[in-house]
Amino acid sequence: CRLGWNTKHWHQTRTRGFDVSLSGPHVWKKRILVILGIGIDSVEIHRFNNWHSYSTKKLKKVFTQHEIDYCLSCKAKSAERFAVRFAAKEAFYKALCSFIPKTKISFFSMCKQASIRNTYSAPTLITDKSISENLPTKTKMHLSLTHSKTTATATIIVEAIK
């Protein structure tokens, strides 16, 4: 290896305690992780250029007050912040509908009950009790947010720990 890493040793340390097979559930610390749903969404940021001028009442149809405050805290970045949070909620809705296909929750209803927050400098999706009731008791969500100058993208993986 060019960098002096022993690739076999690196692979062993990175996969210790994991079942690294490409199919089937993955094992972590003698627990089984099952992927319930995956969601991804991309939006064009220019669609959100004027959202900083919308009323709080209109913004609350999609975002929580905490998200609105965060997005409006920097007017120059408000479009990309609104866009990536909208993409995250859309991605979560897609993941939710993939493992609960007969869900009766509407997108806007789900938006009011889910919030994206930065915890320990990583984005986290926090859900209200009404959404949590539809999820298995031990559910873990992995959220990734990114944007370029023109596009905001969010990916979410919802796992159940058994």
Side-chain angles (χ1 to χ4, degrees):
C1 185
R2 285 186 358 210
L3 299 175
W5 285 83
N6 179 335
T7 55
K8 184 177 179 183
H9 174 71
W10 181 86
H11 186 282
Q12 288 171 344
T13 59
R14 293 290 179 228
T15 59
R16 189 172 297 133
F18 288 86
D19 173 8
V20 292
S21 62
L22 295 176
S23 61
H26 294 278
V27 177
W28 179 68
K29 293 185 181 178
K30 298 183 182 178
R31 294 182 185 162
I32 298 175
L33 301 177
V34 179
I35 294 177
L36 299 175
I38 298 173
I40 186 167
D41 193 56
S42 291
V43 295
E44 295 175 4
I45 294 173
H46 74 84
R47 290 176 41 206
F48 297 84
N49 283 342
N50 296 327
W51 282 42
H52 68 275
S53 63
Y54 288 1
S55 69
T56 303
K57 182 179 178 182
K58 190 171 186 177
L59 291 172
K60 279 191 172 183
K61 291 180 180 181
V62 179
F63 303 105
T64 63
Q65 187 61 49
H66 181 269
E67 291 171 312
I68 294 168
D69 293 343
Y70 174 74
C71 293
L72 295 177
S73 66
C74 179
K75 187 178 175 183
K77 293 183 178 184
S78 68
E80 65 192 39
R81 289 178 176 181
F82 279 125
V84 79
R85 276 157 183 73
F86 184 86
K89 291 185 180 209
E90 183 71 30
F92 177 61
Y93 188 71
K94 290 175 181 178
L96 190 67
C97 290
S98 70
F99 70 89
I100 308 174
K102 294 182 181 181
T103 185
K104 294 183 182 181
I105 189 168
S106 71
F107 174 71
F108 290 110
S109 187
M110 185 274 313
C111 284
K112 293 177 187 175
Q113 300 165 11
S115 177
I116 289 90
R117 302 216 179 169
N118 292 335
T119 54
Y120 304 109
S121 65
T124 305
L125 183 85
I126 299 168
T127 59
D128 285 353
K129 189 176 183 180
S130 58
I131 292 179
S132 300
E133 290 172 347
N134 292 318
L135 300 174
T137 53
K138 294 183 180 180
T139 303
K140 187 171 185 177
M141 292 183 255
H142 306 278
L143 178 63
S144 177
L145 307 175
T146 189
H147 57 79
S148 65
K149 290 181 181 179
T150 59
T151 307
T153 303
T155 305
I156 189 161
I157 299 171
V158 181
E159 290 182 317
I161 302 170
K162 293 186 176 186

